[in-house]
Amino acid sequence: MNNKKYFFLVSLSNILAAVLDLGLTYLGTPTLSMEGNPLITELGLGWPALIAINIFITSGLILMAYYAHIKYKPLSSPETDIKRYINDITYGDPDIKSYAGLKWPKYWGPQIACLCWAVTISVPIARFFIILEWIFIDFRIYFPPFFRFVTLFPGGRIDFFIAVILSWILSFVWINLEHNKNLDRLEKENSQEEKVNGTD
């Protein structure tokens, strides 16, 4: 699957998650008395604000997905070891010591792409739990274990905590994927050099 298809699927997932969340919220609480968004509950804002917030967030997520899957061009590195590879595409120095995390990156592109890739995948998955919660409420489905689990999170914002934790996990997935792509590039370059040298 090419990057454009990934971009389309991730963007569509975020749009569907927003639409389902808003639709099920309307079914469950037309007056927004049960809405969990603090901007709505604390400031007393209504549906126009809630819809505008969702459009703003979803648009931002689509832009992030565009950067991660379309605009970002992976940096090439001759390093095969994953730690040296990360140091090379981040600091431009594969031999940098362990205190590298305290330094500003030389190349911000990989940092931004990693964040965008992880967040845009995490958010619709996290919102699924909110959608599931509204389904239980709207259709009067009695499932106490789920609601007891939700209450473990401050303010019941299970989506926020899942998005943060999942984004952190997915950042490592992105690193491994990019490292493997780099290894494939190196292998192709080496095979091409061998062909060229073989014809000389």
Side-chain angles (χ1 to χ4, degrees), residues 129-130 132-134 136-137 143-159 161-162:
F129 288 87
I130 297 298
L132 187 61
E133 186 177 2
W134 279 118
F136 288 153
I137 293 171
F143 190 50
F146 177 80
F147 290 100
R148 281 198 293 268
F149 178 66
V150 170
T151 59
L152 296 175
F153 300 87
R157 294 313 307 238
I158 183 175
D159 56 327
F161 290 92
I162 288 178

Side-chain angles (χ1 to χ4, degrees), residues 3-18 56-72 111-128 159-160 162-171 174 177:
N3 288 345
K4 289 184 179 178
K5 288 183 179 179
Y6 279 121
F7 165 70
F8 175 77
L9 287 175
V10 171
S11 299
L12 182 62
S13 298
N14 279 284
I15 292 170
L16 287 176
F56 177 77
I57 292 173
T58 304
S59 299
L61 290 167
I62 291 172
L63 288 174
M64 290 172 72
Y66 177 80
Y67 184 85
H69 296 282
I70 306 294
K71 187 172 178 58
Y72 173 68
Q111 315 300 309
I112 298 171
C114 179
L115 176 67
C116 292
W117 189 89
V119 169
T120 53
I121 294 173
S122 299
V123 169
I125 295 173
R127 290 190 83 164
F128 167 79
D159 56 327
F160 175 78
I162 288 178
V164 170
I165 294 169
L166 192 55
S167 293
W168 179 73
I169 294 171
L170 286 175
S171 65
W174 182 89
L177 288 172

Side-chain angles (χ1 to χ4, degrees), residues 15 17 23 34 39 43 54 57 63 74 81 107 113 116 129 137-138 147 154 170 172-173 177 189 192 194:
I15 292 170
M34 296 170 61
L39 291 176
L43 300 178
N54 275 271
I57 292 173
L63 288 174
D81 176 76
Y107 305 113
C116 292
F129 288 87
I137 293 171
D138 293 350
F147 290 100
L170 286 175
F172 294 98
V173 175
L177 288 172
E189 289 172 4
Q192 288 176 352
E194 288 175 0

Side-chain angles (χ1 to χ4, degrees), residues 18-36:
V19 170
L20 285 172
D21 190 1
L22 285 170
L24 290 166
T25 299
Y26 182 77
L27 287 176
T29 178
T31 61
L32 294 177
S33 59
M34 296 170 61
E35 171 58 29

